[in-house]
Amino acid sequence: RTTPPRPRATMDPPAPAEHPAFTPPPPAFQDPAPPVLDHFALIGVTDVVPGAATQVAEVLHHWSAPCAVPKFQHDMVPHFCFPKGVSLAKLKRTPSMSALDEVLFERAHMHQSSHTFVFRMTDELGRASYGFCVLCQEAVQDPPTFVQRKPDAEVNMGGEVSGTVHTAPVCYVIVTRRPVAELHFKALFTILSHEHLRRTCLLYTSPSPRDS
């Protein structure tokens, strides 16, 4: 009886797989820790609408952190700061400007809790942001030093005579995804203290209508 020969082992490469090569999935995306402050803004009005007791709020100035998410909401933030609009008041201009000084330098926000508040808003993806706000009364034609001032000829004072000064609240607001009330209000009051110092310095170093 004859035994059939055994097949020889070959070193031929294996046949290619019929399915594509396996690609490992990318590592899970890790959202970096959000910054303490996403956005800082000033909300108020730049002009006076004739006959209007209240006006729609607008963004006077804003700054955003490089990694701020979501982007600054130019429509939502003014609405949350002034849901009923911005109320204007009139002051009679006097040679000493004492009435205006009383408004600008009394710093009511330091003593009245009604001048501070917090709001919460969400974007289209459901991400929550918190706004920490402090209200300060300012002259419309003399905005905070953060705001690029318009030439006097471009400021609409509603057709009022030069003897009238319009004042309106300005909202200093920090928008953040990491709400820490003590920290954010401290930051706002520090900003306001520096603004108060700048205004005081400008009062004594710049020409003023009270000198004319």
Side-chain angles (χ1 to χ4, degrees):
R1 187 175 180 181
T2 306
T3 304
R6 295 181 180 179
R8 283 184 168 186
T10 61
M11 300 299 293
D12 296 335
E18 296 181 358
H19 56 77
F22 173 74
T23 303
F29 174 76
Q30 296 181 351
D31 189 12
V36 174
L37 185 156
D38 285 309
H39 311 282
F40 168 73
L42 301 182
I43 310 297
V45 295
T46 57
D47 298 305
V48 176
V49 177
T54 60
Q55 295 181 205
V56 177
E58 55 189 298
V59 179
L60 306 179
H61 167 84
H62 103 274
W63 171 90
S64 294
C67 55
V69 177
K71 294 182 178 180
F72 184 74
Q73 304 294 321
H74 283 265
D75 296 329
M76 294 179 63
V77 174
H79 173 73
F80 277 101
C81 292
F82 294 100
K84 297 181 180 180
V86 182
S87 299
L88 277 72
K90 296 180 184 179
L91 293 176
K92 184 177 180 181
R93 186 187 295 271
T94 61
S96 66
M97 301 289 286
S98 58
L100 183 59
D101 286 348
E102 184 177 351
V103 169
L104 298 182
F105 295 106
E106 69 168 340
R107 307 184 77 192
H109 58 275
M110 298 292 292
H111 313 289
Q112 301 179 21
S113 60
S114 61
H115 286 64
T116 60
F117 60 94
V118 181
F119 65 80
R120 180 181 183 273
M121 62 182 183
T122 57
D123 64 5
E124 63 276 4
L125 299 178
R127 295 174 296 196
S129 296
Y130 301 83
F132 292 85
C133 306
V134 178
L135 295 176
C136 293
Q137 199 75 7
E138 306 279 2
V140 175
Q141 57 265 59
D142 188 18
T145 56
F146 291 97
V147 180
Q148 184 175 3
R149 185 171 180 175
K150 292 182 179 181
D152 292 340
E154 296 181 13
V155 179
N156 182 6
M157 288 294 105
E160 297 285 350
V161 296
S162 59
T164 301
V165 179
H166 289 84
T167 64
V170 173
C171 184
Y172 290 66
V173 55
I174 286 176
V175 179
T176 177
R177 290 166 287 164
R178 299 176 62 184
V180 185
E182 182 178 359
L183 172 65
H184 291 113
F185 278 123
K186 184 176 181 179
L188 286 171
F189 286 127
T190 300
I191 292 171
L192 286 162
S193 295
H194 283 282
E195 173 67 10
H196 180 266
L197 180 61
R198 282 193 293 266
R199 282 185 175 276
T200 304
C201 292
L202 288 172
L203 178 66
Y204 292 102
T205 59
S206 302
S208 170
R210 68 190 79 210
D211 298 327
S212 57

